[in-house]
Amino acid sequence: MKRSQFLYTSFVFLIFFSVINGQEKREFTSFKEVLEYVKVTNHQFKNAEWQTRLADLARKTAKLNLLNPKIPASAQVLDNITQQVSFLPGQIFGQPQGTFKEVTIGQQYASTFSVQPQFDIINLANYAQIKSAKTNQLLVENQNKINEQNVYDQINMVYFNILSLNEQKKILEENIVIAKDILRIIQNKFTEGIARKQEVNEAETNLISLQDKLQQIELNTEIQVQTFNLFLENTINATLSEDLWTYENSNAPLTTQNSLLAENAKLQYELSEQEYKGLKFQNYPVLSFISSFNWQNLSNDFAFSKNSDWINFNYIGLKLSYDLPTTVTKYSNLKSKKIQLEMAKNNQEFSKKENENKNKQMILEYEKALLQNENFRKIYTLKKDTYEKNFNQFKENILPLDKLLISQNDMLTSRLNVVYSLANIGFAKAKIEISNRF
């Protein structure tokens, strides 16, 4: 039993290992490269193409349906098993006046073929549907752009999280080396009898704490990489090689004029307006062309007898149809759409302000990140200088261990803050660049 479990576990491991190693490894050197790859692989963008095609099909259908063409055709073959009996005045047949004679009128076998072409000449409701379908197509395209921007923003966050974690890992590895050196020094002092055991414990605790932080960062990095690969549909195993420190030189002013939200609200208002007109025009008369072409075969022998006759009767004309506005549902739908139209108008006015505020906020976030990075770099320079001086004093037995560990932790925190601010700069800058793509 144990041997079979071992074989099964080994088999599963080999499959998993082969799948992982079977993925193509790809390196991305910039965020722009990532967006270009995502554009052609992510399923949401493929679905967006289908949604655009559906909207285009609906627009073409509305155009073709403007005349509402119909060609009803029918064929029937009847065997009048029992025909209707009529009573005619008897004097017609030489009988006394006041009498009646039973007469069967009609043919037993009647076959009819009928074709009735018709189309609308004036139908305002169908015309409104064309404009509605065209507006809906523009709305779908706009919504697809908004969705695309949202996906890019999500990738942007994960991308710079990974870059930040990679740099945090390097900083922690450097500080672990420092912590090991401090532990070595304090152990030597303890051996020489000039340090206490508590100090050795504190130095070792400091090292373990840093090692734990490093492990947590490695796990968080793995989680973020899995999330990042999911945006790429897990088709590759991505690695990011962009240097986060290049964003230290990012200080150029940026602007953005993205108007997707305002345009979306505007199109929603226009769509509601067209739908309202369509409902209103349903209460207008419709002028249609109508026609009918019929071929009938009559016989008392059997259907389509060679002795039977064919009779044709046709007509063409105009038809004016009008549905009196007494239907409660139509009245209710019209009033409901009127209310929705007013709501869409309010949303349109608010979206303009919301769009402007969003653009300004992106710029402010970018400027905030630049200022914060400048301050954090100054703080790090000071904390690093303090640590170096404290370390020299510690080696000369002038400074106690606890103050050295505090200064090391302050230096580590300030260095990590610089990394956070660089990631914020990159994220804010990329967010503006994403916005300017639309």
Side-chain angles (χ1 to χ4, degrees):
M1 184 66 180
K2 291 183 179 180
R3 183 174 181 273
S4 62
Q5 289 180 343
F6 173 77
L7 292 174
Y8 175 76
T9 304
S10 301
F11 177 71
V12 172
F13 174 77
L14 287 173
I15 292 178
F16 176 78
F17 185 78
S18 62
V19 169
I20 294 300
N21 286 274
Q23 284 186 328
E24 173 192 354
K25 293 183 179 180
R26 176 157 181 167
E27 179 182 351
F28 294 96
T29 60
S30 68
F31 184 61
K32 183 179 179 181
E33 288 184 16
V34 174
L35 296 188
E36 291 174 353
Y37 187 86
V38 169
K39 180 67 176 178
V40 297
T41 57
N42 192 280
H43 75 281
Q44 296 189 57
F45 301 140
K46 295 178 182 179
N47 288 342
E49 292 179 7
W50 289 111
Q51 289 173 349
T52 302
R53 291 186 184 183
L54 286 173
D56 184 60
L57 178 61
R59 180 182 61 83
K60 292 177 179 178
T61 300
K63 279 187 174 182
L64 294 174
N65 198 46
L66 176 62
L67 300 179
N68 192 22
K70 299 177 183 178
I71 308 179
S74 62
Q76 64 178 8
V77 178
L78 301 178
D79 180 357
N80 297 305
I81 300 174
T82 303
Q83 293 178 284
Q84 183 177 357
V85 177
S86 299
F87 296 90
L88 301 179
Q91 60 267 29
I92 298 176
F93 302 97
Q95 295 180 0
Q97 188 173 1
T99 61
F100 294 89
K101 182 177 179 61
E102 295 182 4
V103 178
T104 301
I105 300 176
Q107 303 287 324
Q108 181 177 353
Y109 298 96
S111 302
T112 305
F113 298 90
S114 179
V115 179
Q116 298 173 325
Q118 54 186 285
F119 59 86
D120 294 341
I121 298 175
I122 300 176
N123 190 330
L124 297 179
N126 286 351
Y127 184 74
Q129 286 181 358
I130 295 177
K131 292 186 175 181
S132 178
K134 185 176 181 180
T135 304
N136 180 69
Q137 184 179 11
L138 295 175
L139 181 60
V140 168
E141 292 173 356
N142 177 272
Q143 187 62 53
N144 286 340
K145 290 180 181 179
I146 292 176
N147 294 338
E148 182 176 353
Q149 183 179 356
N150 291 337
V151 171
Y152 288 163
D153 285 340
Q154 293 172 21
I155 297 173
N156 181 22
M157 181 176 295
V158 178
Y159 180 87
F160 283 97
N161 279 346
I162 294 174
L163 293 188
S164 176
L165 289 169
N166 288 340
E167 292 303 323
Q168 291 177 50
K169 179 181 177 182
K170 295 176 183 177
I171 294 172
L172 281 169
E173 288 173 343
E174 294 172 359
N175 277 265
I176 286 174
V177 173
I178 294 174
K180 288 181 178 179
D181 191 31
I182 294 174
L183 177 60
R184 179 186 57 80
I185 293 173
I186 200 67
Q187 284 177 334
N188 291 338
K189 288 184 178 182
F190 177 72
T191 302
E192 295 173 2
I194 57 176
R196 296 173 299 166
K197 178 61 177 175
Q198 295 93 317
E199 292 178 311
V200 176
N201 292 342
E202 288 298 321
E204 190 169 357
T205 299
N206 180 55
L207 175 60
I208 294 173
S209 177
L210 291 174
Q211 289 173 337
D212 176 69
K213 290 180 180 179
L214 178 60
Q215 291 172 353
Q216 295 300 316
I217 284 180
E218 289 174 342
L219 291 173
N220 286 335
T221 303
E222 186 176 349
I223 293 172
Q224 292 294 310
V225 169
Q226 288 178 356
T227 303
F228 184 80
N229 285 336
L230 185 59
F231 283 111
L232 309 180
E233 302 293 321
N234 285 333
T235 55
I236 61 172
N237 188 14
T239 57
L240 308 181
S241 60
E242 184 177 11
D243 188 359
L244 187 62
W245 295 100
T246 58
Y247 289 94
E248 278 189 311
N249 302 320
S250 297
N251 52 15
L254 299 176
T255 59
T256 182
Q257 297 295 328
N258 184 290
S259 60
L260 286 180
L261 290 178
E263 183 66 18
N264 187 272
K266 175 176 174 289
L267 290 171
Q268 286 183 350
Y269 172 75
E270 292 178 357
L271 181 61
S272 295
E273 188 177 33
Q274 292 302 325
E275 290 176 344
Y276 174 74
K277 289 181 179 179
L279 291 174
K280 185 170 65 173
F281 289 153
Q282 285 182 0
N283 295 319
Y284 282 46
V286 176
L287 180 63
S288 305
F289 168 82
I290 59 174
S291 62
S292 181
F293 303 91
N294 307 275
W295 297 266
Q296 190 174 55
N297 182 276
L298 302 174
S299 173
N300 279 321
D301 295 333
F302 49 85
F304 305 109
S305 171
K306 63 181 181 178
N307 297 322
S308 61
D309 296 324
W310 283 92
I311 302 173
N312 300 339
F313 51 98
N314 312 310
Y315 68 80
I316 61 172
L318 298 177
K319 175 184 177 182
L320 185 65
S321 57
Y322 180 61
D323 187 7
L324 293 175
T326 57
T327 306
V328 176
T329 303
K330 282 188 175 183
Y331 179 81
S332 175
N333 290 341
L334 186 63
K335 290 298 181 181
S336 296
K337 184 56 65 175
K338 180 65 175 178
I339 295 173
Q340 293 174 19
L341 183 61
E342 293 298 326
M343 293 171 61
K345 183 178 180 180
N346 290 336
N347 289 337
Q348 180 186 8
E349 294 175 355
F350 175 76
S351 292
K352 292 179 182 178
K353 301 175 183 178
E354 183 184 20
N355 210 140
E356 293 175 359
N357 184 70
K358 182 180 179 182
N359 289 336
K360 291 178 181 178
Q361 188 172 350
M362 281 192 288
I363 300 300
L364 290 175
E365 288 176 351
Y366 174 67
E367 294 174 352
K368 173 187 173 184
L370 289 176
L371 292 173
Q372 192 175 53
N373 175 256
E374 183 179 353
N375 292 329
F376 282 160
R377 279 189 292 171
K378 292 178 182 178
I379 293 173
Y380 169 70
T381 300
L382 296 173
K383 293 296 183 180
K384 181 182 179 184
D385 182 67
T386 299
Y387 166 76
E388 290 174 348
K389 288 180 170 56
N390 286 347
F391 184 72
N392 292 331
Q393 292 178 357
F394 170 73
K395 289 192 295 185
E396 296 173 1
N397 295 324
I398 299 176
L399 188 76
L401 176 64
D402 57 344
K403 291 189 176 181
L404 175 64
L405 295 181
I406 291 174
S407 63
Q408 184 203 3
N409 185 65
D410 289 344
M411 180 184 67
L412 170 63
T413 301
S414 63
R415 185 61 167 168
L416 292 177
N417 285 339
V418 173
V419 171
Y420 298 149
S421 64
L422 288 176
N424 287 336
I425 291 174
F427 172 77
K429 183 178 180 181
K431 190 173 183 179
I432 293 173
E433 291 172 349
I434 290 171
S435 176
N436 290 336
R437 292 169 70 102
F438 302 96

